[in-house]
Amino acid sequence: MVHNGIEYGLMAAYAEGLAILRAANIGSKQNEIDAETTPLSNPEDYQFDLNLADVTELWRRGSVVASWLLDLTASALAQDQGLGKFSGRVSDSGEGRWTIKAAIDEGVPAPVLSNALYARFTSRGEADYQDKLLSAMRFGFGGHLEKKEGKS
């Protein structure tokens, strides 16, 4: 069971790292400056148009982060870098929950594994209500309006 809890954390780390690389060209784009979008201090530092399929293939060949999960990631990106057939909804089969419960019972800190499990909940829309509450509070104290859907 703990093996699968660790898997959740590894998967989340790959996903987060590759998302950072995917956004590495943000300095080449015109971005809104508003309460939701912090301006880049040095846009020239973020002008990399990276091919994630190539990056993951390179990592598979001798990088310290090489793994079967990375092999699967590289394969998915080689087929479609936009990952068009996936919605982003990530289920959990219970092993991650069991791992976190065991960590709590044993008094062992497991923030990475816990966060990876909660990220799966969020991917399924299970944070929608709390996000609405946060938006309502932000509007209440500062009059901050939400951006329209589809805008970045």
Side-chain angles (χ1 to χ4, degrees):
M1 294 287 188
V2 173
H3 168 275
N4 288 36
I6 292 169
E7 177 185 302
Y8 284 22
L10 290 170
M11 292 171 71
Y14 281 133
E16 289 178 10
L18 289 165
I20 291 167
L21 293 177
R22 183 173 184 255
N25 200 21
I26 194 167
S28 299
K29 300 174 181 165
Q30 186 68 19
N31 294 301
E32 282 187 52
I33 299 174
D34 56 27
E36 208 171 298
T37 311
T38 303
L40 287 173
S41 300
N42 302 93
E44 64 278 3
D45 293 342
Y46 298 94
Q47 297 187 8
F48 300 95
D49 191 17
L50 302 174
N51 180 313
L52 298 184
D54 289 347
V55 170
T56 54
E57 191 59 38
L58 178 66
W59 289 357
R60 290 180 63 222
R61 309 290 175 204
S63 168
V64 70
V65 299
S67 73
W68 182 50
L69 289 170
L70 183 60
D71 294 344
L72 297 171
T73 304
S75 177
L77 291 170
Q79 291 174 31
D80 175 16
Q81 287 198 58
L83 304 172
K85 69 179 185 179
F86 300 99
S87 70
R89 181 183 174 89
V90 185
S91 297
D92 73 284
S93 54
E95 291 90 347
R97 293 174 192 226
W98 182 91
T99 303
I100 302 311
K101 287 178 185 175
I104 291 167
D105 289 346
E106 297 166 355
V108 175
V112 171
L113 304 184
S114 299
N115 191 50
L117 176 63
Y118 290 131
R120 288 180 178 216
F121 296 165
T122 300
S123 80
R124 299 189 305 247
E126 294 171 25
D128 289 352
Y129 186 73
Q130 64 208 48
D131 290 343
K132 288 179 182 181
L133 286 170
L134 290 170
S135 184
M137 286 184 258
R138 192 163 185 267
F139 178 78
F141 72 71
H144 300 288
L145 300 173
E146 296 178 342
K147 279 188 169 185
K148 300 292 182 210
E149 282 292 321
K151 287 193 169 189
S152 54

